[in-house]
Amino acid sequence: MPWGAVQLSLPTCAFESSRKPLNFGHCHFRIACFSSSSESNLQKGDDDENQADHGRNRGLPHVILVERYGNGTAKRYVVDDDLKVQNFVEEERSLLSNNSESSHFSNSTLSWLPDIVKDFIFPAGFPGSVSDDYLLYMLLQFPTNVTAWICHTLVTSSLLKAVGVGSFSGSTAAASAAAIRWVSKDGIGAVGRLFVGGRFGNVFDDDPKQWRLYADFIGSAGSIFDLTTPLYPAYFLPLASLGNLAKAVARGLKDPSNRVIQNHFAVEGNLGEIAAKEEVWEVAAQLLGLGLGILFLDTPGLVRAYPVLATTWMVMRLLHLWLRYQSLSVLQFNSLNLKRARILVKSHVLHSIVPGSVDCNREENILLWPRFMTPRITFGVPLEEMIFGEITAPMLKALLELYTKEKYILVVNQQISDFEVFVSFKVGATSISVLRSVWQAYWLYENWNRLGNAFDQLRKSLLEMEDRFEDFIQQLNGSGWDTSQINLKVPREISLDELSPI
């Protein structure tokens, strides 16, 4: 018997702009289903059964996909009788799998704490991402640090009295007021560290070199405020406070970045010793720098003329930033972050080879943000922003079936001149899922034809990745990369959960 072909025409994927919807109205998906006579009879029987089931279930829409958000809400995509997809937003309680009694203790004890506060003060994935003793340790550390800063405030007052601001024998009002102003300046600076730790705590593991360099740039900006205080002595407090704020932000970026770098050095698990020896180097440099600084201050004419002082500071600061960049450039991380993953994937897609850590780290641009690299890849995009217009069941089915084996969905933006892809991750996605999406994005970037069928090109890219990705991983291991440390975080703000077939 002759073979028959059934074609399903679906609008294809086109985008408006970054984070704009995928327009399915400009091209067509084609899904061909071939069958023999025996298969046709089987299909006919299945169709009859499906029609009977459809008749029994008519008026009972079913959920096919749930888009879960980090704030606990969820959007359910429901298919109705006309094969149209509707969505409903509802509140959901986030369910955490508690693998230990301590995790259950953490959840029950902190259930009264708002989620936004938990995200600000605890690491991502808490309590599962930390050891069992983390919470109790931090709860005891908090009052410990409070008492330390009370002592600091009292000592500051004593120091100011010692240099002539009030005295213990006379009136202490001036000393107390000066101490309050001085401590307030420190407090304003501490706000910067609080913001950095709460808002950017999850970025340092990915790219410590970049954030360590940014810390020096921000610290330099803070020093400029301090440097201008002699020009505006009446505004000493606000200028000094702004300087402290900037330098505190810089310290908030510096300290976590340094810890990641120190952990990179500690190949034998000797992190404590590495940190102690770095302190020796730093203190030795501090003593030498202070000595040279005192010599500069004793140089006739240097500190008397403010322009000369400011120029000397500028020269020293630029030299400092250049040396910092050079020191960070020699670091050779063998773990994968997004920048290094992009370099490695590009090399494998184009030349089928993977460079070693020395060449890759040398090519890595410390200052460049991944979002500005080519091609543009936007992670964690909602489904409605990926698909423009009314979402139908066949349309959604074609997209979900295409990425059945993957833990993500990737589409290409065809509405802008520059190449761009949107990626949305499914529940259960891992860092390997992110790496696979980057590989597919680069293959599409190198082989994309805007005049061709978008769906066919997506399918071809997945076939290419299925054939070559294993070789990519093997070359990573052969080139000395640590594939157990892939710092490619899956965005947790949005995740797709497939519930039932259409």
Side-chain angles (χ1 to χ4, degrees):
M1 295 293 293
W3 289 74
V6 179
Q7 289 187 334
L8 174 64
S9 294
L10 296 173
T12 53
C13 23
F15 295 86
E16 293 293 336
S17 64
S18 176
R19 300 306 301 273
K20 288 190 177 181
L22 170 63
N23 187 345
F24 279 87
H26 292 199
C27 37
H28 296 277
F29 293 160
R30 292 194 173 189
I31 304 174
C33 306
F34 297 95
S35 61
S36 63
S37 58
S38 59
E39 290 172 332
S40 298
N41 294 331
L42 179 60
Q43 182 179 2
K44 182 177 182 302
D46 292 340
D47 290 342
D48 293 340
E49 183 179 353
N50 290 336
Q51 289 178 2
D53 291 340
H54 179 70
R56 289 191 299 268
N57 295 329
R58 188 171 182 83
L60 297 175
H62 64 282
V63 181
I64 59 171
L65 187 71
V66 177
E67 193 170 70
R68 306 186 187 277
Y69 304 99
N71 59 3
T73 61
K75 180 179 292 184
R76 297 181 177 270
Y77 289 86
V78 180
V79 177
D80 59 19
D81 294 333
D82 299 325
L83 292 183
K84 292 183 179 179
V85 179
Q86 300 178 354
N87 60 75
F88 303 92
V89 178
E90 62 181 25
E91 296 286 337
E92 282 196 352
R93 296 183 63 86
S94 58
L95 301 177
L96 297 177
S97 58
N98 302 320
N99 298 323
S100 64
E101 293 183 359
S102 62
S103 298
H104 177 74
F105 167 78
S106 301
N107 287 330
S108 59
T109 303
L110 301 176
S111 59
W112 56 272
L113 204 60
D115 290 338
I116 188 173
V117 177
K118 291 181 182 178
D119 294 339
F120 193 82
I121 64 176
F122 293 125
F126 176 85
S129 60
V130 296
S131 59
D132 297 344
D133 50 2
Y134 174 83
L135 179 60
L136 186 58
Y137 175 81
M138 297 308 296
L139 290 175
L140 292 173
Q141 276 289 297
F142 185 78
T144 303
N145 293 330
V146 169
T147 54
W149 282 102
I150 292 175
C151 295
H152 170 76
T153 304
L154 299 176
V155 169
T156 299
S157 176
S158 298
L159 289 173
L160 292 174
K161 291 174 182 177
V163 296
V165 183
S167 63
F168 284 107
S169 57
S171 173
T172 61
S176 298
I180 291 173
R181 288 194 297 270
W182 192 268
V183 172
S184 299
K185 172 180 68 70
D186 292 340
I188 293 174
V191 172
R193 295 176 58 197
L194 178 69
F195 173 75
V196 170
R199 178 62 181 83
F200 298 101
N202 62 340
V203 302
F204 301 107
D205 293 316
D206 300 339
D207 202 345
K209 293 191 284 186
Q210 181 186 62
W211 292 107
R212 182 63 187 88
L213 188 59
Y214 284 170
D216 268 11
F217 281 122
I218 298 175
S220 300
S223 297
I224 293 176
F225 288 108
D226 294 341
L227 199 64
T228 55
T229 52
L231 301 178
Y232 306 98
Y235 298 98
F236 170 81
L237 184 59
L239 288 174
S241 297
L242 288 174
N244 255 26
L245 177 62
K247 287 185 287 187
V249 170
R251 183 180 173 187
L253 297 175
K254 167 194 169 184
D255 290 346
S257 302
N258 263 353
R259 291 189 183 97
V260 177
I261 295 174
Q262 290 171 350
N263 190 63
H264 160 70
F265 294 140
V267 295
E268 295 184 354
N270 53 341
L271 179 59
E273 184 180 9
I274 293 293
K277 297 306 180 183
E278 184 175 342
E279 188 77 10
V280 172
W281 284 75
E282 186 173 341
V283 171
Q286 178 183 0
L287 294 175
L288 180 59
L290 289 174
L292 293 175
I294 292 174
L295 290 179
F296 287 156
L297 293 177
D298 284 341
T299 302
L302 179 59
V303 294
R304 296 177 184 176
Y306 180 82
V308 177
L309 175 65
T311 302
T312 305
W313 176 87
M314 180 64 68
V315 171
M316 290 293 103
R317 201 65 192 180
L318 291 176
L319 178 61
H320 165 81
L321 293 174
W322 180 79
L323 291 171
R324 179 71 67 194
Y325 180 85
Q326 296 300 319
S327 65
L328 293 173
S329 297
V330 303
L331 292 176
Q332 298 177 10
F333 286 93
N334 66 342
S335 58
L336 268 65
N337 65 356
L338 188 55
K339 284 183 184 178
R340 293 188 285 275
R342 279 174 166 264
I343 296 172
L344 298 171
V345 164
K346 180 180 179 181
S347 176
H348 188 261
V349 168
L350 290 178
H351 311 294
S352 296
I353 59 174
V354 172
S357 60
V358 177
D359 295 332
C360 183
N361 280 269
R362 186 184 300 117
E363 186 179 348
E364 181 182 3
N365 189 328
I366 299 177
L367 292 173
L368 184 64
W369 286 59
R371 69 180 62 180
F372 299 118
M373 299 178 70
T374 303
R376 291 183 60 183
I377 306 175
T378 304
F379 297 110
V381 181
L383 187 62
E384 281 191 324
E385 294 189 22
M386 300 172 72
I387 303 176
F388 177 73
E390 183 181 15
I391 304 177
T392 63
M395 177 194 306
L396 190 56
K397 177 182 179 182
L399 198 58
L400 293 178
E401 284 186 347
L402 181 65
Y403 288 97
T404 299
K405 297 181 180 180
E406 302 297 335
K407 285 295 184 180
Y408 66 90
I409 295 176
L410 181 148
V411 289
V412 180
N413 186 347
Q414 298 182 74
Q415 292 296 100
I416 61 174
S417 57
D418 296 332
F419 183 89
E420 181 180 18
V421 299
F422 294 154
V423 184
S424 186
F425 292 95
K426 302 177 184 178
V427 173
T430 63
S431 56
I432 290 293
S433 307
V434 182
L435 187 59
R436 291 178 68 88
S437 69
V438 172
W439 198 101
Q440 184 187 3
Y442 267 86
W443 190 93
L444 287 167
Y445 174 68
E446 298 297 338
N447 299 275
W448 186 253
N449 180 10
R450 289 191 174 275
L451 301 179
N453 184 282
F455 188 79
D456 288 342
Q457 295 184 74
L458 290 176
R459 180 168 51 195
K460 186 176 181 180
S461 67
L462 288 171
L463 292 175
E464 287 286 336
M465 182 172 63
E466 187 175 351
D467 290 338
R468 300 178 57 188
F469 190 80
E470 185 62 32
D471 175 70
F472 175 62
I473 296 297
Q474 290 177 1
Q475 289 200 41
L476 285 177
N477 291 321
S479 300
W481 292 97
D482 187 359
T483 53
S484 64
Q485 292 190 30
I486 301 180
N487 295 319
L488 302 176
K489 290 185 173 63
V490 179
R492 300 302 180 187
E493 292 79 10
I494 299 175
S495 59
L496 301 178
D497 192 2
E498 298 179 75
L499 297 184
S500 63
I502 300 176

